[in-house]
Amino acid sequence: MTLVESGLGAASWNVLTDGVSRTLGLSFGWTTNLISLLVLLAWIPLRELPGLGTLLNVAIVGLAADATATVLPHPHGTPAAIGYLVLGLVALAFFDALYLGAQFGSGPRDGIMTGLVRLTGLPIAAVRTGIEITVATAGWLLGGTFGVGTVLVALCMGPLVGYFLPRMAVRLPTVAADARHNP
């Protein structure tokens, strides 16, 4: 929500959520949950599997967005708005990598990224940037909050997640390694 509240433009998925929210007349949080459920359908051709993290993401993110919006103060002045933007961008990338690295299942939006990375072999940065640009453009066409910050997020989110994720990922043993150690 710090990205939305910065007034400099929202994160790409938030632009889409804002545009759909305005179009349908739903709250930002409810629209977040609706988009989450619809995006899960895109997992079918990607053969992504849900996990506990997927369910928690669908259930909690929208509620947390609405709750945060009620308590987060509006930034006063350009320096505060830029601070919200930078803090929101880095926090979003860091916490995205943190929960993905736990390997309990990705959220709906991140499942698109992980599925495309797995299927195409392209780097996280390239896939994530393509997704960010696509959803920001769709949201902007629907009237979502768009600004210079949106462009910054769309171009930086992929490289930031690509940077943080390898550093946050829990290394799980492979089946072959387990078989060698536990005959």
Side-chain angles (χ1 to χ4, degrees):
M1 286 307 299
T2 58
L3 293 168
V4 173
E5 291 295 324
S6 76
L8 299 174
S12 302
W13 283 99
N14 289 355
V15 174
L16 180 62
T17 302
D18 190 35
V20 172
S21 173
R22 291 170 190 246
T23 301
L24 298 179
L26 299 172
S27 76
F28 189 89
W30 277 107
T31 305
T32 297
N33 291 342
L34 175 65
I35 289 173
S36 293
L37 293 172
L38 294 174
V39 168
L40 284 172
L41 295 176
W43 283 28
I44 295 169
L46 296 175
R47 298 187 180 180
E48 282 292 292
L49 297 174
L52 178 61
T54 310
L55 299 174
L56 291 173
N57 187 291
V58 170
I60 294 173
V61 170
L63 296 173
D66 279 350
T68 303
T70 64
V71 298
L72 189 67
H74 236 34
H76 296 289
T78 304
I82 292 170
Y84 268 42
L85 175 65
V86 172
L87 177 64
L89 173 59
V90 173
L92 181 59
F94 176 79
F95 288 112
D96 199 59
L98 185 65
Y99 101 87
L100 284 170
Q103 299 192 36
F104 281 108
S106 59
R109 295 156 199 79
D110 289 318
I112 299 293
M113 175 189 71
T114 58
L116 288 173
V117 165
R118 184 177 36 77
L119 290 177
T120 65
L122 293 171
I124 290 170
V127 171
R128 183 64 177 253
T129 301
I131 292 169
E132 296 286 332
I133 291 170
T134 300
V135 297
T137 301
W140 174 68
L141 292 172
L142 290 170
T145 304
F146 188 93
V148 67
T150 306
V151 175
L152 184 66
V153 170
L155 297 177
C156 294
M157 193 62 187
L160 285 170
V161 171
Y163 172 80
F164 286 129
L165 187 55
R167 289 155 177 81
M168 298 287 134
V170 172
R171 304 288 178 227
L172 298 174
T174 62
V175 174
D178 284 348
R180 283 194 308 262
H181 297 294
N182 299 315

